[in-house]
Amino acid sequence: MDRLCGSGELGSKFWDSNLTVYTNTPDLTPCFQNSLLAWVPCIYLWAALPCYLFYLRHHRLGYIVLSCLSRLKTALGVLLWCISWVDLFYSFHGLVHGSSPAPVFFITPLLVGITMLLATLLIQYERLRGVRSSGVLIIFWLLCVICAIIPFRSKILSALAEGKILDPFRFTTFYIYFALVLCAFILSCFQEKPPLFSPENLDTNPCPEASAGFFSRLSFWWFTKLAILGYRRPLEDSDLWSLPEEDCSHKVVQRLLEAWQKQQTQASGPQTAALEPKIAGEDDVLLKARPKTKKPSFLRALVRTFTSSLLMGACFKLIQDLLSFINPQLLSILIRFISDPTAPTWWGFLLAGLMFVSSTMQTLILHQHYHCIFVMALRIRTAIIGVIYRKALTITNSVKREYTVGEMVNLMSVDAQRFMDVSPFINLLWSAPLQVILAIYFLWQILGPSSLAGVAVIVLLIPLNGAVSMKMKTYQVQQMKFKDSRIKLMSEILNGIKVLKLYAWEPTFLEQVEGIRQSELQLLRKGAYLQAISTFIWVCTPFMVTLITLGVYVCVDENNVLDAEKAFVSLSLFNILKLPLNLLPQLISGMTQTSVSLKRIQDFLNQDELDPQCVERKTISPGCAITIHNGTFSWSKDLPSTLHSLNIQIPKGALVAVVGPVGCGKSSLVSALLGEMEKLEGAVSVKGSVAYVPQQAWIQNCTLQENVLFGQPMHPKHYQQALETCALLADLDVLPGGDQTEIGEKGINLSGGQRQRVSLARAVYSDANIFLLDDPLSAVDSHVAKHIFDQVIGPEGVLAGKTRVLVTHGISFLPQTDFIIVLADGQITEMGHYSELLQHDGSFANFLRNYAPDENQEANEGVLQHANEEVLLLEDTLSTHTDLTDTEPAIYEVRKQFMREMSSLSSEGEGQNRPVLKRYTSSLEKEVPATQTKETGALIKEEIAETGNVKLNVYWDYAKSVGLCTTLFICLLYAGQNAVAIGANVWLSAWTNDVMEHGQQNNTSVRLGVYATLGILQGLLVMLSAFTMVVGAIQAARLLHTALLHNQIRAPQSFFDTTPSGRILNRFSKDVYVIDEVLAPTILMLFNSFYTSISTIVVIVVSTPLFCVVVLPLAVFYGFVQRFYVATSRQLKRLESISRSPIFSHFSETVTGTSVIRAYGRVQDFKVLSDAKVDSNQKTTYPYIASNRWLGVHVEFVGNCVVLFSALFAVIGRNSLNPGLVGLSVSYALQVTLSLNWMIRTMSDLESNIIAVERVKEYSKTETEAPWVLESNRAPEGWPTSGVVEFRNYSVRYRPGLELVLKNLTLHVQGGEKVGIVGRTGAGKSSMTLCLFRILEAAEGEIFIDGLNVAHIGLHDLRSQLTIIPQDPILFSGTLRMNLDPFGRYSDEDIWRALELSHLSAFVSSQPTGLDFQCSEGGDNLSVGQRQLVCLARALLRKSRVLVLDEATAAIDLETDDLIQGTIRTQFEDCTVLTIAHRLNTIMDYNRVLVLDKGVVAEFDSPVNLIAAGGIFYGMAKDAGLA
């Protein structure tokens, strides 16, 4: 190098220690300045160039128009290039004129000139690629400025010293160069305009990160605006930025799907190869057999998808790891500096400055790493949710039986979240070993071979930890199983809560949940104890390592002296080791949990999918719409076939009825046509679009209009027709927001009939070619069924000319069908036209003769009658639906107004009934004003985000649940443990300052003994505090869950009608999980970081009292950052948890309706819908991630200032300080950054997570129904004896503030009397039965049973003595025996007798497991009719004095219905029977019939008298062909 600089007047040496180091005015030699210093920026730019160009090639953001800023930057670049060339030419000029300049004067201008040209070209290339702020160039210009500052000072100093300028030309060009470089740096900090055609131009609220400058991105300053906004007022959804395109679900999910499909094709590759016909040798066969077991790896797919983010994060992590070892080296030099009084003072200041710069660099790079990794984690979660959602849309029915909705939701919520949680620790897998190796290397430099003793401790502890984590993994797997089964059971309880209440079965289910919870908590407790042991090991590891290393070092050789440099540098190196070692247990437990989740997700994704080719859609026999050729179908490959040897041909435009007894496979046939069943053999062809109406209507949680349109564009005329023909117009007027009324989950605020009509209207509106109608008429009243058949399905209906397959039990419609398919035991027994089948004289003909109504009478019905019926239908449907809808008072005014209009219209005379209807229709086409809709249309209450601070009483509630003494004890233990830790370090500091005699320290053994004692004491306190916390946390988890469960089980039915089950389930899954597993570790971490921060400040202030001066300003800044951060992040977290629920609600809704979604071909739309919900959740999570980074950078700045000032004050007070104290204070300061950051983070995490306690508490305090048992007022033994039911002046409303549903009802039913209850939809029939069971409580009046006022006894005393067969037959997953007799009160003989009477014994005895036959969730593996029969068997078992039948036989064929009616007549002969009748023929032989109209008794007498009276009942009987 010296030769480069030449000799002579302008020549100099490359390095001169006397000039640079050992002086009070340091400087660099001119040679150094002109060579290496000038080359540094150039070397940087050329080194960065290849990677940067590669990045720019692959990231095109549009191009930026040439602006003044760009022109200026380019001009400066060109000028700098010119200056360099001028310098070069000047050197040549000197050479020509014989002055022979040194080679460096040629090399440097040439290199700098070319680099400046490169920088100029780069400015333009970046502009063309759409880069608005270039980090690479900003660093380049910054380096140029920094490297030019030293010559800037040197040239002035040398000119002053010499009294003249030695080289005026170069002096001038240098200062011009400096000015230009400074301008270039300043200009590079400004941003260009957004690129043309960039999405930002379209976006209303783009993420500021995209447009942020380099420094803003580096320090996350772009987030500050949102932090200030969040501090001023609680954030709302509208404040959040829209998602960057590359983070949107559809992009991310697509990438993962492609990678997963590649994995699947690779895995199936060897198998398909193995299947190829080939003559193989024995070894060939063996080799081929192996790959068959290979499964596609979901992990590989994930890694492939997110490689770039992983690599980027790894690069940042590597730089940060290397930087973290600089500070211990600087500390070592600082201690030497303090020990050497002759060293120049500027050394100390330089060291303090370097420590600060090194710490700041570490901070900035670490947070870039975290940002990169967390954004990747968010994308991973999004991708996994999307992939699971898409899979759930395609799984077969057998897989659906295996995975309940609850389990699939768990995959989405818990398992996907696990991946997100473990991602930040992934880089530790390589980073931790790297840090350990580097630390050992530096320790060896200081302590020699003794450092290996410490390493040995670390190595020995790894297997111990491995054993602990393996054990934890097994607990984790078991616990997940319990959690799944608890959530599954809760989901079923919420779905069937009404049935549980009616049967008074809550205690048995409560017991089941509590049993599972008990097992779950036992495992939690074991796992938490292991976690505590693992914490103990890791907290003690650094100390043990320090103790053993230093102990070995001083004991091995008496001449080994422990001085401040050795002790504290090794201590700070051990502190660096402490972080990866502390995070390792988290990584291990995270990895174990994630591996469990990975396996669960992989298993789910590998499940069978429906075969899209199962139904041939393109080719078909000419003239046919549907054909099945020799079709055999099963619900699962391993089950026997349900339908066999079917041969069907349905011509285009035909109306085909499918009839047969319960469980014969009618619904299965429809499923087979939809491709929902496994086709074992044969061929199915369906040509044209399909509309499907399932037996149990699937209604979405959205407005009624959206339910009908189902994603189709709106055509008002067509829409109006669909509503009119499906008899929905009158309902609309009663619903609070018309067709904009929000329908609750599963259509909760519609009656069964309304749900079915909406489902039908959806089919009519879809205008498909083929209609598959699975018994849509059974859920509606007989006159409505007739209307629907005539207007929609029949030969005169709107679907005339379309192909219709109608599964039905209604005989009256059969003559109008084109032909009939008769099924029995999964086979077609007869097929043909109605008249053919009658002549055929088979079993069906006999059946028809018994049940068919008198045909002549039907034929004689006049046209006027038909017209009358329509208006009747209209007015009656309009009557009062309040027993079904949850509404606000406003709409009643609308209805009254409408009724007045109606009466004035109809007063024009009965003959003009037709025009009335028309006029009504046209008036309805005017839409309900939107504002009114908004006020009244919503049924489901919005989930409100709490705002502002989490109230202190939430913490207080949690502390009380943990136990106040326990809480206090934990605080004291932590304080003690930190005091002991400080004591140990102060002791170490004193030890290093011990006076030496003859090159040795005397009392080494005492020093070592005390140090060890203090360390062991600290370890014990740590363990004790962890154990105490475990005990407290498990107790809190138990108490909070119990309170929540008991309250929810006792909540009134109205609560479940207005609260989506997803929202309640969220409390039981996510929030309970947080209380179980997240809160306690968070609190422990908070204590840890809080006490560490306090002890650091104490130690620094004691060693350098001057530090007090800066404590206050730093604390104020810290406080400010904390206030801004906590306010914003808390609200973001709340918004996040609110936007999470809809993802899972929508998912569970989708899973229950997959067959409908697939039938209508709406799969793609639902994917988009789900993606939108996930994106709105991401919109809240992304700013939350950024807020943590913003906090980190700002808080660590405070920590870095602490490092700077502790070093500075040590330098200032070097004369009064000993090296031991300086080492102590600076090594503590180096740790503080982390604990300050963690303190705010954990405080905020605690706030975010304590919300779970708030949410659980909120649902633990909801209003409950009356007590189950009143000990003071028990019902007498054997009550009721005769079953006399009496309503006295009884009125009821659904909720306070709503109108009455039943008004002043007074009636008296004798014991043993059979009473039929009839009335149009919404007359209050179901409400009356609900009042009997006190599901609804009286507004006034009372009900007496056998003279006992039912309001005076406990609910269970009442409900257990009444029996109901409810409208919706609900079964729970479990054995059939459990479904019939959950309390185990009856013997097997009793149960078999009940099954025989309910005509189920044949089915049950045909099952291999008999009474232990497993019912799936909701009883899905039984037909609806069979489920209804199970409900009848329940009633037969109970055999109470009062029996209520609520439309119980609607889903059963007439033959079975007859058998059931017979059973009820014989078995309940002496009981009081109240029947809500759908089919009037079932109640024609009852003692009396009660006709309800608009909540009042319209008629009450025997059927014969009522028909004779010619009132409402007569009209209904006439419609049904019975009068």
Side-chain angles (χ1 to χ4, degrees), residues 175 219 232 268 319 334 551 818 871 885 989-990 1025 1090 1125 1269 1280:
Y175 282 104
S219 61
R232 287 194 179 142
S268 59
I319 299 169
L334 181 68
D818 295 324
V871 167
T885 52
S989 167
S1025 55
F1090 173 70
Y1125 168 77
V1269 174

Side-chain angles (χ1 to χ4, degrees), residues 1462-1494:
T1463 305
I1464 289 169
R1465 288 190 183 89
T1466 54
Q1467 295 303 311
F1468 295 97
E1469 198 176 356
D1470 48 356
C1471 303
T1472 307
V1473 179
L1474 304 174
T1475 304
I1476 293 178
H1478 246 253
R1479 300 175 176 161
L1480 294 187
N1481 59 332
T1482 57
I1483 57 162
M1484 291 311 273
D1485 61 343
Y1486 275 28
N1487 305 99
R1488 286 193 286 174
V1489 171
L1490 168 69
V1491 181
L1492 286 176
D1493 187 33
K1494 300 173 194 170

Side-chain angles (χ1 to χ4, degrees), residues 277-298:
K278 176 184 168 187
I279 302 162
E282 195 177 316
D283 52 350
D284 264 14
V285 172
L286 286 170
L287 288 170
K288 284 280 189 268
R290 262 180 218 152
K292 284 197 176 183
T293 54
K294 188 182 171 193
K295 276 187 173 179
S297 160
F298 187 59

Side-chain angles (χ1 to χ4, degrees), residues 1160-1406:
Y1160 283 95
R1162 289 277 329 271
V1163 172
Q1164 195 48 45
D1165 301 352
F1166 270 76
K1167 287 177 189 171
V1168 171
L1169 244 168
S1170 169
D1171 285 351
K1173 290 184 190 303
V1174 175
D1175 282 348
S1176 73
N1177 177 249
Q1178 281 200 88
K1179 253 174 68 172
T1180 54
T1181 318
Y1182 193 84
Y1184 180 68
I1185 291 172
S1187 71
N1188 284 336
R1189 304 285 67 82
W1190 178 85
L1191 165 83
V1193 170
H1194 288 79
V1195 165
E1196 288 185 23
F1197 174 72
V1198 175
N1200 298 337
C1201 288
V1202 171
V1203 173
L1204 173 69
F1205 289 119
S1206 66
L1208 264 183
F1209 295 143
V1211 173
I1212 292 168
R1214 64 194 275 211
N1215 302 326
S1216 59
L1217 289 175
N1218 60 40
L1221 271 179
V1222 172
L1224 180 69
S1225 85
V1226 177
S1227 63
Y1228 257 98
L1230 287 173
Q1231 294 180 69
V1232 78
T1233 316
L1234 196 70
S1235 51
L1236 284 177
N1237 192 351
W1238 271 114
M1239 185 159 81
I1240 293 193
R1241 285 282 297 286
T1242 46
M1243 272 162 76
S1244 173
D1245 275 356
L1246 183 61
E1247 277 219 350
S1248 316
N1249 289 319
I1250 205 88
I1251 290 172
V1253 176
E1254 185 178 31
R1255 285 159 58 91
V1256 165
K1257 275 289 188 191
E1258 176 198 353
Y1259 275 27
S1260 306
K1261 291 176 179 167
T1262 51
E1263 182 195 350
T1264 54
E1265 52 186 4
W1268 285 347
V1269 174
L1270 282 169
E1271 286 304 336
S1272 57
N1273 221 354
R1274 298 297 301 256
E1277 193 71 36
W1279 173 90
T1281 46
S1282 54
V1284 178
V1285 178
E1286 190 180 354
F1287 283 76
R1288 291 188 193 164
N1289 196 24
Y1290 190 86
S1291 301
V1292 73
R1293 54 170 56 91
Y1294 258 80
R1295 286 207 310 273
L1298 299 186
E1299 280 211 356
L1300 293 173
V1301 187
L1302 295 176
K1303 300 163 196 149
N1304 305 344
L1305 201 64
T1306 302
L1307 60 110
H1308 188 282
V1309 178
Q1310 296 299 334
E1313 200 174 4
K1314 309 288 178 283
V1315 175
I1317 304 170
V1318 296
R1320 305 289 182 189
T1321 306
K1325 308 186 291 283
S1326 296
S1327 308
M1328 184 176 157
T1329 56
L1330 293 179
C1331 297
L1332 203 55
F1333 285 83
R1334 283 179 63 196
I1335 298 286
L1336 295 179
E1337 295 285 8
E1340 56 179 297
E1342 51 243 332
I1343 299 174
F1344 288 86
I1345 297 179
D1346 276 6
L1348 182 67
N1349 187 340
V1350 296
H1352 293 166
I1353 55 173
L1355 291 179
H1356 279 190
D1357 279 355
L1358 167 68
R1359 292 171 185 170
S1360 59
Q1361 297 309 319
L1362 307 176
T1363 305
I1364 185 166
I1365 302 180
Q1367 185 174 4
D1368 297 324
I1370 289 185
L1371 268 61
F1372 300 94
S1373 62
T1375 62
L1376 187 64
R1377 178 187 275 112
M1378 191 282 296
N1379 268 295
L1380 292 168
D1381 175 27
F1383 292 99
R1385 289 177 182 155
Y1386 302 98
S1387 66
D1388 277 14
E1389 293 84 64
D1390 293 341
I1391 295 176
W1392 277 109
R1393 196 174 311 116
L1395 289 173
E1396 211 152 303
L1397 292 167
S1398 56
H1399 311 285
L1400 265 177
S1401 57
F1403 167 74
V1404 179
S1405 46
S1406 72

